[in-house]
């Protein structure tokens, strides 16, 4: 398990141990992700502190393993091109080193991918059917026009759930590296015959999220604001739709993929779209804190709507999310955030 000391990885470790598996963690404990050594790691898991990019380290970590769950990555939008080499190194070079080490004795590989590989979600125009809008113009965003128009006629669009077969259109450095990880893993599958499962996580939340590091997600940022007695600040008009999925559900999806060796790409999601404003309001209710503030501000690289179809994961992988959103928000509101 690479990245097994992190937010999602540590929950997968717990789930695997509960199923009776032996788990070896390889994690570099990068300062950007960990300001202190995690105290939540189960001592039954073996921990190797080291870098996936180092051939000797990865060779030692792979000794005797029967499957690999690759969670380690540098995350975030990756908007500053000054960071592009770091993203490629931590995400793509690390994956290449892992695959090279696996190739002589291939085993099943489960890859942590992301919804960001889709770019904007799926949209339908009343005249042109399913369309792919381009990046939103800064002038339109400044004017408060947040919905992408039809690229053919300029009409308003209706957002739909994204299936795994949708065109892939990464729109940030991070997204490009996640798609490259999928392509590298697919090459490993073709060359060796080993099953590879790419799990495209949607917006994951839950205990052990980092508080205010570059690895913090929007739920964690809102939670930190509320803990400080401040209102969550929601960008745009709060209407951007996402799929918020609990980390324990994500861990279950990984266990299924590892135990069954089911090849393919799968959305890991709840199947129920909610707006960012809805999530902020649910978290404010759970903390009895101030209501969210809609700022109208926007970030370059953000997409308007992206939420997923859960059908393929249910039908092929056997995964369906079971965690209740409101209960999950109440739990998250009381959970300790990671330093």
């Amino acid at each position: 398990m690479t990245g097994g000391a992190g937010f999602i990885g540590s929950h997968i470790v717990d789930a695997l141990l509960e199923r009776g598996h032996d788990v070896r963690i390889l994690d570099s404990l990068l300062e950007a992700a960990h300001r202190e050594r995690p105290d939540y790691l189960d001592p039954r898991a073996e921990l190797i502190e080291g870098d996936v990019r180092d051939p000797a380290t990865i060779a030692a970590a792979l000794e005797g393993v029967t499957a690999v769950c690759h969670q380690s990555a540098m995350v975030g939008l990756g908007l500053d091109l000054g960071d592009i080499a770091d993203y490629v190194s931590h995400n793509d070079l690390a994956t290449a080193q892992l695959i090279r080490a696996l190739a002589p004795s291939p085993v099943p590989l489960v890859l942590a991918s992301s919804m960001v590989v889709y770019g904007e979600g799926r949209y339908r125009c009343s005249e042109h059917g399913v369309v792919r809008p381009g990046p939103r113009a800064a002038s339109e965003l400044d004017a408060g026009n947040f919905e992408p128009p039809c690229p053919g006629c300029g009409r308003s669009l209706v957002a739909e759930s994204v299936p795994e077969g949708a065109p892939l259109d990464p729109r940030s450095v991070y997204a490009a590296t996640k798609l490259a990880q999928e392509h590298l893993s697919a090459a490993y599958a073709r060359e060796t015959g080993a099953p590879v499962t790419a799990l495209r996580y949607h917006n994951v939340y839950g205990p052990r999220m980092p508080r205010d590091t570059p690895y913090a997600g929007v739920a964690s940022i809102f939670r930190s604001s509320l803990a400080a007695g401040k209102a969550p600040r929601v960008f745009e008009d709060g209407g951007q739709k996402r799929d918020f999925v609990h980390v324990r559900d994500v861990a279950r999806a990984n266990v299924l993929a590892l135990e069954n060796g089911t090849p393919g790409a799968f959305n890991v999601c709840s199947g129920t779209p909610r707006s960012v404003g809805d999530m902020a309001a649910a978290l404010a209710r759970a903390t009895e804190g101030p209501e969210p503030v809609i700022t109208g501000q926007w970030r370059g690289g953000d997409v308007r709507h992206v939420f997923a179809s859960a059908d393929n994961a249910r039908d092929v992988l056997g995964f369906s999310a079971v965690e209740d959103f409101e209960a999950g928000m109440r739990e998250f509101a009381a959970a300790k955030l990671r330093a």
Side-chain angles (χ1 to χ4, degrees):
M1 166 80 66
T2 72
F7 163 45
I8 296 174
S10 65
H11 282 277
I12 302 170
V13 169
D14 290 348
L16 288 168
L17 290 170
E18 288 176 9
R19 297 277 293 174
H21 296 288
D22 296 323
V23 180
R24 178 181 295 145
I25 298 168
L26 174 60
D27 200 303
S28 59
L29 299 178
L30 282 175
E31 186 176 343
H34 300 276
R35 291 177 180 166
E36 58 189 32
R37 191 180 183 88
D39 60 4
Y40 48 73
L41 285 179
D42 192 310
R44 293 176 295 171
E46 178 187 355
L47 173 62
I48 298 175
E49 186 173 344
D51 197 321
V52 184
R53 296 169 295 179
D54 177 62
T57 299
I58 192 63
L62 289 174
E63 186 176 348
V65 304
T66 56
V68 171
C69 187
H70 184 30
Q71 300 292 315
S72 66
M74 184 175 178
V75 303
L77 278 176
L79 295 177
D80 184 353
L81 291 180
D83 293 333
I84 189 170
D86 292 333
Y87 275 93
V88 171
S89 179
H90 283 288
N91 297 355
D92 300 338
L93 176 60
T95 301
Q97 294 284 28
L98 173 63
I99 287 171
R100 182 168 68 176
L102 282 172
S105 301
V107 298
L109 173 65
V110 175
L111 171 71
S113 188
S114 172
M115 67 177 190
V116 297
V117 300
Y118 297 120
E120 280 285 356
R122 178 183 173 95
Y123 293 86
R124 186 174 297 275
C125 173
S126 58
E127 180 178 347
H128 295 100
V130 175
V131 296
R132 297 175 64 193
R136 295 178 294 169
S139 59
E140 291 296 312
L141 294 168
D142 285 338
N145 299 322
F146 301 118
E147 297 290 343
C150 174
C153 64
R155 286 187 172 90
S156 298
L157 300 173
V158 175
E160 298 182 342
S161 297
V162 182
E164 287 85 350
L168 304 181
D169 185 20
R171 297 191 178 186
S172 68
V173 169
Y174 170 62
T177 63
K178 296 309 288 185
L179 182 54
Q181 283 185 301
E182 286 200 21
H183 288 320
L184 292 169
S185 300
Y188 166 69
R190 286 193 301 271
E191 294 297 323
T192 68
V196 169
T197 311
L199 300 179
R200 293 174 180 164
Y201 302 159
H202 286 254
N203 289 73
V204 187
Y205 73 94
R208 303 177 192 165
M209 285 191 83
R211 178 164 42 261
D212 54 7
T213 74
Y215 284 60
V218 65
S220 180
I221 293 168
F222 292 164
R223 164 77 165 75
S224 296
S225 295
L226 288 161
K230 300 177 181 179
R233 295 179 60 81
V234 181
F235 282 6
E236 301 187 15
D237 60 358
Q240 54 272 48
K241 290 182 180 178
R242 300 290 187 268
D243 188 305
F244 297 97
V245 59
H246 197 284
V247 67
R248 284 194 295 269
D249 281 325
V250 175
R252 287 194 310 103
N254 276 271
V255 171
L256 284 167
L258 286 164
E259 290 184 340
N260 299 336
T262 308
F266 300 93
N267 289 321
V268 177
C269 60
S270 72
T272 302
R274 292 179 172 88
S275 72
V276 173
D278 288 341
M279 188 272 288
L283 198 52
R285 287 194 300 272
T287 59
E288 298 183 350
E291 294 184 0
V293 172
I294 306 300
T295 69
Q297 296 173 302
W298 55 274
R299 296 188 306 172
D302 274 350
V303 296
R304 180 59 176 174
H305 304 299
V306 55
F307 52 92
S309 168
D311 294 348
N312 193 44
R314 180 195 64 226
D315 297 342
V316 179
L317 189 61
F319 167 76
S320 293
V322 298
E323 300 285 343
D324 178 76
F325 177 76
E326 291 289 341
M329 282 291 143
R330 290 192 296 270
E331 176 196 29
F332 180 52
K336 177 184 176 182
L337 294 181
R338 197 176 83 217

